[in-house]
Amino acid sequence: MTAPALTTGPAPLLATGPTWPGDWSTFWPDMVIGCITGLIIGLALWLLDIWAAQRHSRKVARRVSLRIVQPLLLVLQRPTYTQGFSEIAVLPRKHRTALSLIEQSDLDDWHEELATELTETLRDYRGRLWNLQADADDLEQAVERWFTVHRTPPVVREWVEARLLGASDDYLRVMVRAEDDYDEIAAAGGQIVSSRLVRKHARAYGQALRKADRTRQRLMPILIENVRRRSNR
């Protein structure tokens, strides 16, 4: 008898896994490439953000400039034919119109987005006009206090207001009616103008007015240059 043949099945498959340690040969090159790619993308986004911010600044500056520069220049260049001497708290016409134009614009946004000599001078001029308005209000209140306490004819009040606003002697004489005694009116008005409180606020008002005028004169050539530069583009 022959022995039965032994049958053997296929050898079992052994679980195999990645060899350890792994292949690190490409790690550092991949890391370098990834870092460079990230830097390039970050730089591109940063430059795009800068470009967008500059574009926005230019748009704001152009919008505000068109709204304020040329109209303000026209106002400040306009000759003054007559000057009012009747209301102390009301700014001279040029300063009053200029302040209205500046306050209605987005000057602070313009200066924040794109600060220039022009925006800085405009802000300075606006501040001078605010100070002038405050001093004018103080002067008017000082005069009002006098008239509240003392009985004074209306013509004396007109004389005092005109004198405090810089009216000449000829103007003061013309404004007084022929039937009124000018010397008596001038004496009563002079007493008010020379009082300590009124004199104090009149001096502050005069200083504020001179500062506003000097700033306006400094602003004029800057406005002219800005308009000229825009027209040449």
Side-chain angles (χ1 to χ4, degrees):
M1 289 182 62
T2 60
L6 296 176
T7 60
T8 59
L13 297 175
L14 298 177
T16 60
T19 59
W20 188 262
D23 184 6
W24 291 77
S25 61
T26 61
F27 175 78
W28 290 113
D30 291 343
M31 177 67 74
V32 172
I33 292 173
C35 290
I36 293 175
T37 303
L39 287 173
I40 293 174
I41 294 174
L43 180 62
L45 292 174
W46 179 64
L47 292 174
L48 182 62
D49 185 63
I50 291 178
W51 176 82
Q54 291 177 341
R55 185 169 180 267
H56 176 71
S57 298
R58 288 193 297 269
K59 287 178 65 177
V60 171
R62 178 174 176 78
R63 174 170 52 83
V64 182
S65 176
L66 291 174
R67 184 183 301 176
I68 187 176
V69 172
Q70 191 153 356
L72 183 60
L73 179 61
L74 292 175
V75 167
L76 297 182
Q77 283 184 326
R78 190 177 302 155
T80 301
Y81 296 107
T82 59
Q83 182 177 351
F85 297 107
S86 59
E87 295 179 89
I88 295 175
V90 176
L91 297 182
R93 184 175 180 180
K94 278 189 180 182
H95 288 318
R96 185 171 71 249
T97 307
L99 181 59
S100 177
L101 282 172
I102 295 173
E103 288 183 330
Q104 291 174 10
S105 70
D106 298 322
L107 175 59
D108 291 325
D109 291 340
W110 180 13
H111 182 73
E112 183 177 348
E113 294 289 347
L114 192 65
T116 62
E117 183 186 16
L118 174 59
T119 62
E120 187 64 42
T121 309
L122 283 170
R123 282 158 56 93
D124 186 27
Y125 184 41
R126 181 184 61 184
R128 299 293 188 190
L129 294 180
W130 282 343
N131 292 338
L132 177 60
Q133 183 65 73
D135 286 321
D137 292 338
D138 290 341
L139 177 58
E140 183 181 51
Q141 291 175 17
V143 173
E144 284 291 342
R145 280 196 287 271
W146 176 279
F147 289 124
T148 300
V149 175
H150 301 84
R151 288 183 173 274
T152 309
V155 65
V156 175
R157 183 189 184 101
E158 295 173 7
W159 189 96
V160 168
E161 290 176 340
R163 168 62 80 190
L164 291 173
L165 292 175
S168 65
D169 290 336
D170 291 339
Y171 181 92
L172 293 172
R173 287 187 175 277
V174 169
M175 66 176 286
V176 175
R177 296 185 298 270
E179 61 270 19
D180 293 327
D181 186 345
Y182 179 81
D183 292 336
E184 183 179 344
I185 293 171
Q191 184 181 6
I192 300 171
V193 171
S194 61
S195 67
R196 184 185 61 82
L197 185 62
V198 172
R199 190 171 67 250
K200 169 188 171 184
H201 289 296
R203 185 166 55 251
Y205 175 81
Q207 291 174 351
L209 181 59
R210 288 189 293 273
K211 289 179 181 178
D213 285 334
R214 285 197 298 267
T215 305
R216 176 180 59 83
Q217 293 170 2
R218 183 161 54 90
L219 176 63
M220 287 289 291
I222 302 175
L223 289 171
I224 293 172
E225 178 60 27
N226 186 272
V227 171
R228 183 179 299 156
R229 188 167 56 248
R230 286 192 171 277
S231 64
N232 291 335
R233 289 179 180 176

